[in-house]
Amino acid sequence: MKGLELSKKYFEAYGREMLAQFPALEKEYAAGLVGRGSECFGFDDEISKDHDYGPSFCIWLKRDVYEQFGQKVQEAYEQMPAEFLGVPGRVTEETGRGRVGVLCLEDFYYGLLGTCQVPETKLEWFRLQDENLSTATNGAVFEDPCGAFSRMRDGFLSYYPEDVRVKKIVACLARMARAGQYNYMRAMRRDERVAAGLFLHEFIRESMRLVYLLNRRYAPFDKWIHRGMKSLPSCSEIGDMILLFYQVEKAEDKVLIIEAICNIIVQELNAQGLSNLEDNFLQNHLLSVTEKIEDETLRNMQFLEG
């Protein structure tokens, strides 16, 4: 059973009853499973069960409520049966502490994003990182009679303002062109294989990150960024093409894959009205895409910022 399904069943079996012990919290909590951990993304498997897996969920309380009731609710949470549906109790590693149980709502978001407020300006949005936003908006909310958690979650799920998205696209294009289309083959010709490997890795990572931006989705961190591409509606075939890098040995063949990926990106840029050029060299699209940014501060940033 997937961890998210297990979590919801566990909450329905014991969580509501446990919370009923605290009538004052009837409309003061949210419950669900969101945050760090493969189960929150729905990517957990048999390998995932070796740590931080088991019947569990989160209860989020606003700070004033948490300070008054948090410890007592946590004690009640710990009294619920550890084993559930034949699944042993959660074994938590030191680095996995604080992911489930009773949590302060504001501290939860601050710990993931460095802020507990939905950004009000484009620059504030720009400073946030995809992988952190992905972690803060994954999983599921089972109940939220308070509404505070969902309002904040919905705010982050609203996605980057368009100027911010486009500026981050520009940065990905610049890094892809520099690493994959310019430096990779030059490094191979000099027999600088370590440098070439780094350039190829950068091209691959930025390609995946760009595909998420083109789909208006937050890219998860490296462990899941490739797997998550399968569900994206546009350019998801790039995920399959990336696998080819690990199936061919000749640098010339890898260059062909690089150019094929860039060709798909160019087509999508044109489809979204971000560029009207057909040039396969991504660097030549930077000015065209940058011109779509209305915010002067973002538009005047260096291409690689983002």
Side-chain angles (χ1 to χ4, degrees):
M1 184 185 299
K2 288 283 190 178
L4 195 56
E5 181 184 0
L6 177 67
S7 176
K8 186 173 183 180
K9 288 181 180 294
Y10 187 58
F11 171 76
E12 291 172 344
Y14 297 109
R16 288 197 186 96
E17 182 179 355
M18 182 272 292
L19 285 166
Q21 301 175 37
F22 304 93
L25 298 182
E26 182 181 4
K27 296 183 179 180
E28 298 294 340
Y29 73 92
L33 187 66
V34 178
R36 296 186 177 94
S38 56
E39 69 276 11
C40 297
F41 288 99
F43 294 152
D44 51 313
D45 52 25
E46 287 302 315
I47 296 175
S48 308
K49 295 179 180 179
D50 66 345
H51 69 287
D52 299 333
Y53 177 84
S56 55
F57 55 85
C58 304
I59 298 171
W60 297 283
L61 305 174
K62 290 187 296 183
R63 186 177 305 282
D64 57 337
V65 180
Y66 179 81
E67 290 175 352
Q68 184 176 0
F69 293 98
Q71 183 60 42
K72 294 179 180 178
V73 181
Q74 180 64 36
E75 291 172 359
Y77 180 96
E78 293 172 358
Q79 293 301 311
M80 293 187 301
E83 183 177 329
F84 179 64
L85 296 180
V87 180
R90 183 181 178 105
V91 177
T92 302
E93 293 187 340
E94 188 63 33
T95 54
R97 294 188 181 280
R99 295 184 181 182
V100 295
V102 184
L103 307 170
C104 173
L105 185 156
E106 291 86 349
D107 289 348
F108 173 81
Y109 278 110
Y110 191 87
L112 295 176
L113 298 170
T115 181
C116 55
Q117 299 291 331
V118 177
E120 297 181 355
T121 68
K122 293 178 181 179
L123 196 57
E124 289 174 343
W125 272 108
F126 180 74
R127 289 171 178 155
L128 295 177
Q129 299 298 313
D130 286 19
E131 63 181 55
N132 296 334
L133 285 161
S134 177
T135 302
T137 56
N138 62 16
V141 179
F142 307 150
E143 288 186 353
D144 187 3
C146 174
F149 185 88
S150 293
R151 283 192 295 273
M152 195 171 297
R153 177 180 172 86
D154 290 344
F156 289 118
L157 280 170
S158 67
Y159 201 67
Y160 296 124
E162 183 64 2
D163 276 356
V164 174
R165 183 183 81 104
V166 174
K167 179 62 191 80
K168 288 177 179 285
I169 286 173
V170 169
C172 286
L173 294 171
R175 284 192 281 265
M176 288 171 67
R178 180 187 65 176
Q181 293 183 292
Y182 182 79
N183 277 317
Y184 170 70
M185 198 59 189
R186 292 170 71 88
M188 287 298 293
R189 287 171 180 161
R190 294 187 174 106
D191 201 31
E192 292 285 351
R193 294 183 178 272
V194 173
L198 292 172
F199 289 132
L200 184 60
H201 171 76
E202 182 177 10
F203 175 83
I204 291 171
R205 190 177 191 281
E206 293 303 314
S207 297
M208 293 189 289
R209 183 166 171 251
L210 177 57
V211 170
Y212 281 87
L213 286 164
L214 292 171
N215 281 276
R216 294 176 172 83
R217 305 279 180 85
Y218 298 128
F221 68 115
D222 287 356
K223 185 177 182 180
W224 303 119
I225 190 171
H226 180 261
R227 181 169 176 176
M229 292 177 71
K230 296 177 181 179
S231 63
L232 300 177
S234 299
C235 302
S236 60
E237 67 269 29
I238 288 177
D240 295 328
M241 297 169 71
I242 285 171
L243 290 174
L244 297 176
F245 284 120
Y246 304 96
Q247 298 172 11
V248 302
E249 295 184 3
K250 293 182 179 179
E252 292 80 4
D253 292 335
K254 294 182 189 293
V255 169
L256 291 176
I257 300 169
I258 288 171
E259 292 304 322
I261 289 173
C262 291
N263 183 260
I264 293 174
I265 294 299
V266 169
Q267 293 179 47
E268 186 62 25
L269 292 175
N270 282 307
Q272 294 194 19
L274 295 175
S275 178
N276 57 7
L277 304 177
E278 297 182 0
D279 194 325
N280 216 51
F281 189 32
L282 297 183
Q283 182 169 309
N284 292 339
H285 293 263
L286 298 181
L287 284 174
S288 177
V289 180
T290 299
E291 288 174 356
K292 305 297 181 183
I293 301 172
E294 297 180 1
D295 184 89
E296 184 176 359
T297 300
L298 295 174
R299 189 174 62 248
N300 291 334
M301 287 181 177
Q302 300 249 341
F303 289 141
L304 291 167
E305 288 186 75

